[in-house]
Amino acid sequence: MDLHHPELTYAAAVALAAVLCGGLMTRLKQPAIVGYILAGVVLGPSGFGLVSNRDAVAVLAEFGVLMLLFVIGMKLDISRFLGVWKTAVFTTVLQIAGSVGTALLLRHVLGWSLGLSVVLGCAVAISSTAVVIKVLEASDELDTPVGRTTLGILIAQDMAVVPMMLVLESMQAKALLPADLARVVLSVLFLALLFWWLSKRRIDLPLTARLARDSDLATLSALAWCFGTAAISGVLDLSPAYGAFLGGVVLGNSAQRDMLLKRAQPIGSVLLMVFFLSIGLLLDFKFIWKNLGTVLTLLAMVTLFKTALNVAALRLARQDWPSAFLAGVALAQVGEFSFLLAETGKAVKLISAQETKLVVAVTVLSLVLSPFWLFTMRRMHRVAAVHVHSFRELVSRLYGDEARTVARTARRARLLAHRGSWRDDSNAGPGSGI
């Protein structure tokens, strides 16, 4: 075994860059996953080109998706979800219908193909579970009524990914086959029955209980549940992600939940880092620069449209205005599963490689800017109660504290640089010139 292979050095550099970028984002009170995406951008083909082959991390990235849904399923409190499921399902249906319907209407105005309209509509409807959960956890709002409603909507959206993928695949055959429709209906019914059954009892898994006593076997047991249920789901011609989520839900309502969750999360964090790193590798700056107007226009349209659609749907679901506004803004980004929908659309030739790059560019920028958008809109909501006389005053109220902090830091840096220069001149002395 050659321990001096350059790929090992590259892997170490990638891991270090991901840790540094993730730590920087955390220091700035932003989700670490935004840093992982930036690390992928910096190290990928659009940056230093240290990682030019995305296929090398693609398998680990797919494992990261499975672990993400598995951990979400483990953390899901079914009793609380059942308390908001009507709102979650109603809002998700309106989000999907509104996004796809609007994309189809814009098709004739913007000259989009039918495939791009459907893929983009489906992609826009999905929000980022990872980003929203991290943002709500950072603000201690995950366990509030708004947080539980938002989490319920995210779960409903994640479950809707499977039917949307089946619909996109069926568009290649120009029709939704009865077998595809049956899989969708049965998967939803099975999930509903599982939720109902688990809400009545807390189960004990004898074999898992014995394995959980050993720290190493407990970790392997959690991974076996995740990838085993994903494999079974794949064999049944369903999405492996759907199976991983179901496996997490079962373990999350077992007596071994806390032990296995503690053991599974470190590995899940590593795989999730690889997944978001791979997303950063997808970003093509040359494509963005060449199509800058289109990308930025579409990003602004998606952000504003999705915010308005979310708030309207939640208001129709009889949520009060503050709750609807906070949840609507939190869900305004395009989610990580949108990449899977875009790849599905590309695989069945609904969209071209260039159109896939457009979807990826908008999704990555949306994920990166999402925490900033939520931060801005929260302050905008508070400022709305105060009479503002000018745009300058509005900007000052929104970003005044941050601007003053940056200004103080810049002044200190200039002062230190000036002192260092003065000391150098003093040490040089009058006779030191040439």
Side-chain angles (χ1 to χ4, degrees):
M1 181 178 180
D2 185 8
L3 296 179
H4 300 286
H5 199 283
E7 289 184 359
L8 295 177
T9 304
Y10 295 158
V14 168
L16 178 60
V19 170
L20 292 177
C21 291
L24 177 62
M25 289 296 106
T26 303
R27 185 67 180 254
L28 297 175
K29 297 181 180 180
Q30 304 299 318
I33 55 179
V34 175
Y36 302 153
I37 294 175
L38 293 178
V41 172
V42 171
L43 298 176
S46 296
F48 294 112
L50 193 61
V51 181
S52 58
N53 183 13
R54 185 180 180 272
D55 293 337
V57 297
V59 175
L60 286 177
E62 292 176 5
F63 285 155
V65 175
L66 298 182
M67 284 298 298
L68 171 62
L69 279 173
F70 179 71
V71 172
I72 289 173
M74 288 188 72
K75 289 183 175 181
L76 177 63
D77 189 324
I78 289 182
S79 61
R80 290 183 176 179
F81 176 75
L82 292 179
V84 299
W85 78 270
K86 291 182 180 179
T87 300
V89 172
F90 176 78
T91 303
T92 300
V93 170
L94 285 184
Q95 288 169 335
I96 296 173
S99 298
V100 175
T102 302
L104 290 174
L105 289 175
L106 291 175
R107 173 193 172 194
H108 301 289
V109 179
L110 301 177
W112 293 343
S113 64
L114 176 61
L116 178 61
S117 300
V118 176
V119 171
L120 191 58
C122 291
V124 168
I126 303 300
S127 302
S128 173
T129 301
V131 168
V132 175
I133 286 179
K134 292 296 183 183
V135 169
L136 293 178
E137 282 180 343
S139 58
D140 294 325
E141 292 173 317
L142 187 59
D143 200 29
T144 63
V146 176
R148 289 192 289 272
T149 300
T150 305
L151 182 59
I153 294 171
L154 291 169
I155 296 299
Q157 289 181 352
D158 292 341
M159 291 187 291
V161 170
V162 177
M164 285 193 287
M165 290 178 67
L166 291 174
V167 170
L168 293 178
E169 290 170 356
S170 69
M171 288 183 67
Q172 186 180 29
K174 307 300 182 182
L176 184 61
L177 301 177
D180 296 331
L181 183 60
R183 285 202 305 273
V184 173
V185 173
L186 289 176
S187 63
V188 173
L189 286 177
F190 180 77
L191 186 63
L193 289 173
L194 180 64
F195 274 29
W196 173 81
W197 185 72
L198 290 175
S199 66
K200 304 294 183 181
R201 58 186 56 80
R202 191 171 182 83
I203 61 177
D204 187 28
L205 305 169
L207 178 60
T208 304
R210 287 195 292 272
L211 294 175
R213 295 169 188 165
D214 185 286
S215 59
D216 295 331
L217 290 178
T219 303
L220 294 175
S221 178
L223 293 178
W225 262 99
C226 174
F227 301 131
T229 51
I232 293 172
S233 181
V235 169
L236 296 176
D237 205 17
L238 295 171
S239 169
Y242 173 79
F245 175 72
L246 288 184
V249 169
V250 172
L251 278 190
N253 286 267
S254 70
Q256 294 76 41
R257 173 186 181 273
D258 294 336
M259 171 66 74
L260 294 177
L261 183 59
K262 181 180 179 180
R263 299 297 180 185
Q265 275 194 306
I267 296 178
S269 297
V270 173
L271 293 177
L272 194 61
M273 179 272 289
V274 175
F275 170 68
F276 283 103
L277 185 77
S278 70
I279 290 175
L281 296 176
L282 282 171
L283 200 63
D284 188 341
F285 273 128
K286 291 181 180 179
F287 172 84
I288 293 177
W289 182 252
K290 187 177 180 181
N291 302 274
L292 186 61
T294 302
V295 171
L296 294 181
T297 300
L298 190 55
L299 175 64
M301 289 173 59
V302 166
T303 304
L304 295 173
F305 163 77
K306 195 166 184 182
T307 300
L309 178 63
N310 292 339
V311 174
L314 285 163
R315 290 291 287 158
L316 288 175
R318 299 182 179 178
Q319 296 288 306
D320 59 85
W321 166 250
S323 299
F325 180 81
L326 178 58
V329 173
L331 295 167
Q333 75 290 121
V334 184
E336 54 271 2
F337 289 116
S338 300
F339 295 103
L340 300 181
L341 295 172
E343 289 297 325
T344 301
K346 180 182 176 182
V348 298
K349 299 181 180 179
L350 290 178
I351 57 176
S352 63
Q354 291 295 102
E355 290 171 337
T356 303
K357 288 183 178 181
L358 177 63
V359 177
V360 168
V362 173
T363 303
V364 170
L365 294 176
S366 178
L367 283 170
V368 171
L369 295 176
S370 175
F372 176 76
W373 176 249
L374 177 59
F375 161 82
T376 300
M377 295 305 293
R378 272 179 169 168
R379 290 197 176 178
M380 184 77 76
H381 190 249
R382 290 197 296 266
V383 170
V386 182
H387 185 63
V388 179
H389 297 86
S390 65
F391 177 75
R392 183 175 181 178
E393 182 182 353
L394 174 63
V395 174
S396 177
R397 287 183 178 273
L398 289 177
Y399 310 115
D401 293 340
E402 287 73 19
R404 284 187 286 272
T405 300
V406 171
R408 284 196 298 268
T409 304
R411 282 197 298 269
R412 290 173 182 172
R414 286 197 299 269
L415 182 59
L416 289 173
H418 177 72
R419 288 177 178 175
S421 176
W422 179 81
R423 288 172 180 171
D424 290 342
D425 292 341
S426 299
N427 293 333
S432 60
I434 297 176

